[in-house]
Amino acid sequence: MRRAISVIGGTGPAGTGLALRWARAGETVIIGSRDAARAQQTAETIRQRAGANAQVSGLENSAACAASDLLVLTVPFEGQAALLKQLKPAMRAGSVLIDATVPLAASVGGRASRTLGVWQGSAAQQAAELVPKGVSVAAAFQNASAEQLNGDADLDCDVIVCSDDPGATQVTMELAAKIAGVRAIDGGKLENARIVEQITALLIGLNLRHKGHSGIRITGLPDGAYKVSLLHNR
Amino acid sequence: MRRAISVIGGTGPAGTGLALRWARAGETVIIGSRDAARAQQTAETIRQRAGANAQVSGLENSAACAASDLLVLTVPFEGQAALLKQLKPAMRAGSVLIDATVPLAASVGGRASRTLGVWQGSAAQQAAELVPKGVSVAAAFQNASAEQLNGDADLDCDVIVCSDDPGATQVTMELAAKIAGVRAIDGGKLENARIVEQITALLIGLNLRHKGHSGIRITGLPDGAYKVSLLHNR
């Protein structure tokens, strides 16, 4: 991949962890934040961890959005809709928005091991309703542990990618497979994000109960299911 | 375990597979079916596959229910509520009902990769509403592939057990751990079955898309999370 990846809300634990992994894989990453100074600070921290050649910079969210057509959204559910409305003018047709949002009940003061019902079916489907025409949404990375992403060990989990646009699925699977230890799986249509988002709440419950940083692996599929065909060379 | 396990709806693929695995592990299994003759036929098939010492018999569902206080329900969602109402007089206080039902949309002519909304939150919670007082419900085995269960190879999946009764969780985890290759995980309260049931629909979608018999493994938990403490010796 040659184009930059803009991680919107990239100063939170999930966004920082993903950015760190991509920076280590040699990708150019832009951290987006409400506060440009904070974005630059996080970018500097990631550069220090990822090595001298790491390509990481920090920008205010809208600027980060305008700077790339490959966007990764890692914000708490309570901020998702408002942020997408704000970013709408900065998104270009042809862009891919990868949404990692999970509608945890914690967003409204409930438990992180429970989810809210989202009218559209999932946070990712809500995102799809809020992006401009011509922007494709893929749902992914909801189940990857932020703690594991921010560590140094290879991850031990699969990333299920859901999208109605095969091109967006492809790009997202490529990005997932760049994280050491992760296998990317095509999870079908965007509507299936309903289930993948729920799994995060289950994993949070398991983490609380068993004191871990859990993830999931899918077993029983042929090897081909995990293969990312590198059709795109951007 | 010394008490018999009654698999209600045990002539279907999931029930037969579970019964086969438990028979191989030396458990006494009763196959329940609407039709006693069909139950006996399935029991005979399982005996032939599980070996000469296998303890498997077949009874009509109500008789199978009355014959044990450890019940495993493996029926399609569309038959669950009516069957539980029918079985109610045959269930004894102190029994454990392990529910493996998944509210697939296929129950009403929809897709097996989608689920129905259940008023109580999950099929397992619906079951809990329909059993007599004093019967504990645990949700488990929804994600175990029937094809894999009916095979000879060790399974490669985890079974997440959800129940509001720690004793029922314990018994169910013991039963799960008796299946070669399965790790049992305490998934917390029965309400979490909402998520575990959904996962089955996701796995069915993956099976259709990638031609496999998928399951899930939970990663990132300490070893203790998978340990079944054998408190009970029934």
Side-chain angles (χ1 to χ4, degrees), chain B residues 92-169:
Chain B
R92 294 195 295 269
S95 294
V96 170
L97 175 79
I98 302 171
D99 183 56
T101 312
V102 178
L104 298 178
S107 299
V108 295
R111 294 189 193 170
S113 57
R114 289 175 173 170
T115 56
L116 299 170
V118 180
W119 189 269
Q120 296 86 344
S122 61
Q125 288 168 291
Q126 174 168 279
E129 201 178 86
L130 293 170
V131 296
K133 228 183 152 169
V135 173
S136 292
V137 172
F141 304 112
Q142 312 95 327
N143 304 335
S145 156
E147 287 79 5
Q148 305 271 15
L149 285 169
N150 282 295
D152 292 314
D154 285 3
L155 269 77
D156 183 11
C157 69
D158 294 337
V159 166
I160 300 170
V161 179
C162 302
S163 178
D164 296 334
D165 173 358
T169 296

Side-chain angles (χ1 to χ4, degrees), chain B residues 26-116:
Chain B
E27 297 293 317
T28 302
V29 183
I30 301 165
I31 298 289
S33 171
R34 255 177 303 186
D35 176 359
R38 212 172 144 225
Q40 283 153 19
Q41 198 177 8
T42 298
E44 175 55 27
T45 308
I46 294 173
R47 271 198 305 273
Q48 282 170 10
R49 290 196 58 195
N53 295 322
Q55 302 288 316
V56 192
S57 55
L59 291 172
E60 183 277 328
N61 274 329
S62 291
C65 189
S68 173
D69 58 1
L70 184 50
L71 313 171
V72 181
L73 188 65
T74 56
V75 291
F77 178 65
E78 62 270 28
Q80 188 209 30
L83 181 57
L84 284 172
K85 284 173 195 166
Q86 178 205 317
L87 295 178
K88 200 169 180 179
M91 288 190 212
R92 294 195 295 269
S95 294
V96 170
L97 175 79
I98 302 171
D99 183 56
T101 312
V102 178
L104 298 178
S107 299
V108 295
R111 294 189 193 170
S113 57
R114 289 175 173 170
T115 56
L116 299 170

Side-chain angles (χ1 to χ4, degrees), chain A residues 114 156 160 185-188 191-192 195 198 202 206 209-222 225, chain B residues 114 156 185-188 191-192 195 198 202 206 209-222 225:
Chain A
R114 290 175 173 170
D156 183 10
I160 300 169
I185 301 178
D186 180 353
E191 65 177 37
N192 294 337
I195 305 177
Q198 303 283 319
L202 183 73
L206 292 176
R209 197 168 308 106
H210 302 294
K211 316 286 171 218
H213 303 298
S214 60
I216 62 157
R217 286 283 193 196
I218 304 293
T219 62
L221 296 181
Chain B
R114 289 175 173 170
D156 183 11
I185 301 179
D186 180 353
E191 64 176 39
N192 294 337
I195 305 177
Q198 304 283 319
L202 183 73
L206 293 177
R209 197 167 307 109
H210 302 293
K211 315 287 171 217
H213 302 298
S214 60
I216 62 157
R217 288 282 194 197
I218 304 293
T219 61
L221 296 180

